[in-house]
Amino acid sequence: DAKIKLDFVLRDEDADIALLKSPLPLKPLPYAWGDSSKIKTGDAVYLVGNAFNLGLNVRSGIISAEAGPPIMTRYGILPERTFMINTGVFRGDSAGPVFAFRNGRPEIIGLAQAMLSLAPNFGYVLRSEFILKTIKPYYDPKNIEELIN
């Protein structure tokens, strides 16, 4: 359980996105980033998280809404950057990948972001196309296309 010092490449608190650099080579994720602009209400999703820091867990649900509610702007979150799923996003889940299956293959369509206390059974997910657009200027251009399926 060695600790590795990571450096910030991008830290955008308004967008709630950070891009970190490791001094060690890392294997790429075996999953491609999908296009969250193609999601539809009712699509099945899977959230991989660490709810309450109890260890790795997976929860299934559906896309409940294709955008977050306008009330999210009170918290600095633009609804068009998110979508809503019918499983809560708990402490420890933040930035966990949310998957959908396209053509039988899992794709990351967003990262778990938040849950509003008004609706604890619903979670809000930052859309993949917003994440990729935000990190693109900071990412090695020859590798960014590898992220997108």
Side-chain angles (χ1 to χ4, degrees):
D1 290 331
K3 293 186 179 184
I4 300 170
K5 183 180 182 307
L6 302 175
D7 294 316
F8 280 101
V9 175
L10 165 68
R11 187 177 191 171
D12 187 332
E13 292 183 22
D14 290 334
D16 196 20
I17 294 176
L19 184 62
L20 305 170
K21 182 177 182 175
S22 170
L24 302 176
L26 299 173
K27 291 182 183 179
L29 290 175
Y31 308 105
W33 284 86
D35 183 354
S36 59
S37 69
K38 295 179 181 177
I39 64 169
K40 300 286 182 234
T41 300
D43 286 353
V45 293
Y46 300 87
L47 166 61
V48 178
N50 182 13
F52 306 110
N53 296 316
L54 296 174
L56 182 68
N57 62 78
V58 178
R59 294 184 303 282
S60 63
I62 61 168
I63 294 174
S64 299
E66 295 172 27
I71 193 171
M72 294 178 74
T73 56
R74 287 187 191 173
Y75 308 100
I77 301 169
L78 298 177
E80 63 272 13
R81 293 180 178 173
T82 64
F83 58 91
M84 185 171 70
I85 59 176
N86 74 334
T87 183
V89 174
F90 303 104
R91 181 174 293 144
D93 287 336
S94 184
V98 175
F99 292 91
F101 279 81
R102 302 277 184 246
N103 301 319
R105 295 180 40 223
E107 295 180 346
I108 302 169
I109 58 169
L111 298 177
Q113 187 175 38
M115 173 181 70
L116 295 178
S117 59
L118 302 170
N121 295 328
F122 294 95
Y124 300 93
V125 178
L126 201 57
R127 294 175 159 276
S128 60
E129 73 266 14
F130 174 71
I131 296 165
L132 294 173
K133 179 181 168 187
T134 303
I135 69 170
K136 190 172 185 172
Y138 302 92
Y139 200 84
D140 185 346
K142 65 181 183 269
N143 294 330
I144 192 74
E145 296 305 318
E146 295 172 10
L147 294 175
I148 305 167
N149 190 9

